Amino acid sequence: MLAFNSTASTWPTFSFIGIPGLEAAHIWISIPFCVLYLIALVGNALLLILVTAEQNLHEPQFYFLAVLALTDLGLSLSTMPSVLAVFWFDARHVGLDACLTQMFFIHTLSSVESGVLVAMAFDRLVAICAPLNYTRILTHSTVACLSGAALIRGATLLAPLPFFLKTFPFCGANILSHSYCYYPDVLNLACGDVSFSSAYGLVFVLCTFAVDVVFIITSYIKILGTIMKLKTQDRNWRSLHTCACHICTVLVFYLPLISLAVLHRYTRNASPILYTTMSNAYLLMTPLLNPLVYSLKSQQIQSALRKRFWVQRVIAGE
């Protein structure tokens, strides 16, 4: 037991940061963070309930939306403990294993979300370009296979990264740039030759996010080509409107992700406040805005919400 404790004590400890320069106001800053997390959790849970309970939402595009909501719930729950611990209790320290576990879930779920966005782009591609074959191609088993493939891809490609990081010694203050563990951030603190781990991280990004972006762009080029061939403007608009929610979701997910990646790779001396802002936007915007986008833009979701709340009012009135 003594030997175990001696070994464990040599493991590195990392320190989270909140918002530099505003440490005294962290308890007040935590209030909007709590509200945003609560909206994200309630919104995505509500989407899951609606898709499960409403028969008219039992379609492939809404099944993918349910998987997206479940992924967003996982992302929120992965970061919420460390973020709120920093703001509420000034609990900044985390051990290596806990940090690597959080890192694994954050990056795996981000990869899954990217894969689900590709599946949703494929759904829109088939719906617009081959509507007569939609029900034959997008079956329940197809939805399950595409969702499972996104999960397996993310988990399999990311699994080696925590083991790579455990082989490195860590020296210095080990202060992270965020309120959660992010792979490039942890890698920058490692001592020794990290070129292979850095290259593998780049391969992971190329095999997931880069490939996904290319497929999504290609899908929409094909979709736009098909829409332009339609004879009436009304049909053009209605066809494009069915893609509006997905396009908004893609932008909400990829813009903060790309910005944070560029920030880590090319601006080593950037302001800590900029790092904090971008990191929070990366993991808060997507779970927060996805339910709002679909609630505001999707007529089927709006109809299900009105029906659900109308039934609740009738029951309450009785």
Side-chain angles (χ1 to χ4, degrees), residues 15-30:
S15 298
F16 297 125
I17 64 168
I19 299 180
L22 297 176
E23 288 81 3
H26 273 180
I27 191 65
W28 298 107
I29 296 172
S30 70

Side-chain angles (χ1 to χ4, degrees), residues 8-236:
S9 65
T10 64
W11 292 352
T13 299
F14 300 95
S15 298
F16 297 125
I17 64 168
I19 299 180
L22 297 176
E23 288 81 3
H26 273 180
I27 191 65
W28 298 107
I29 296 172
S30 70
I31 295 174
F33 273 91
C34 288
V35 172
L36 293 176
Y37 272 117
L38 182 62
I39 294 173
L41 293 174
V42 171
N44 285 290
L46 184 58
L47 277 181
L48 278 174
I49 292 170
L50 287 176
V51 174
T52 302
E54 295 297 324
Q55 189 68 32
N56 63 331
L57 296 182
H58 291 180
E59 299 176 6
Q61 62 174 320
F62 296 112
Y63 289 144
F64 287 129
L65 178 59
V67 177
L68 195 69
L70 188 61
T71 306
D72 284 337
L73 280 173
L75 271 174
S76 297
L77 293 173
S78 296
T79 58
M80 186 172 63
S82 60
V83 172
L84 295 185
V86 170
F87 288 125
W88 282 351
F89 310 112
D90 199 32
R92 300 172 178 271
H93 303 296
V94 62
L96 178 62
D97 286 341
C99 184
L100 296 181
T101 301
Q102 185 187 48
M103 183 198 77
F104 175 81
F105 279 106
I106 289 173
H107 288 284
T108 297
L109 290 172
S110 296
S111 175
V112 170
E113 179 139 359
S114 181
V116 173
L117 290 176
V118 171
M120 295 174 81
F122 178 69
D123 171 83
R124 293 299 83 203
L125 176 68
V126 176
I128 293 174
C129 299
L132 298 179
N133 295 321
Y134 182 78
T135 55
R136 182 176 62 83
I137 297 174
L138 270 300
T139 62
H140 289 178
S141 60
T142 303
V143 172
C145 288
L146 290 175
S147 302
L151 175 60
I152 293 171
R153 181 193 65 169
T156 303
L157 288 175
L158 192 75
L161 294 183
F163 296 101
F164 291 160
L165 288 175
K166 290 197 75 169
T167 63
F168 295 116
F170 290 86
C171 46
N174 289 339
I175 299 175
L176 299 170
S177 304
H178 314 297
S179 299
Y180 54 84
C181 293
Y182 184 64
Y183 177 71
D185 202 15
V186 178
L187 188 64
N188 286 339
L189 300 176
C191 301
D193 184 10
V194 298
S195 56
F196 178 78
S197 295
S198 180
Y200 187 87
L202 181 61
V203 170
F204 171 77
V205 171
L206 292 175
C207 290
T208 53
F209 303 112
V211 171
D212 292 348
V213 168
V214 170
F215 188 88
I216 291 171
I217 292 174
T218 304
S219 297
Y220 275 102
I221 291 173
K222 178 67 174 175
I223 287 171
L224 286 174
T226 302
I227 289 174
M228 294 304 172
K229 294 177 183 178
L230 297 177
K231 295 181 179 179
T232 62
Q233 287 297 113
D234 182 57
R235 287 189 65 189
N236 288 354

Side-chain angles (χ1 to χ4, degrees), residues 258-288:
I258 293 171
S259 301
L260 186 61
V262 170
L263 198 65
H264 268 283
R265 186 164 289 273
Y266 298 111
T267 56
R268 298 295 179 87
N269 298 319
S271 167
I273 295 180
L274 182 60
Y275 274 112
T276 303
T277 303
M278 290 308 305
S279 65
N280 290 325
Y282 164 49
L283 287 180
L284 263 178
M285 281 182 62
T286 302
L288 177 68

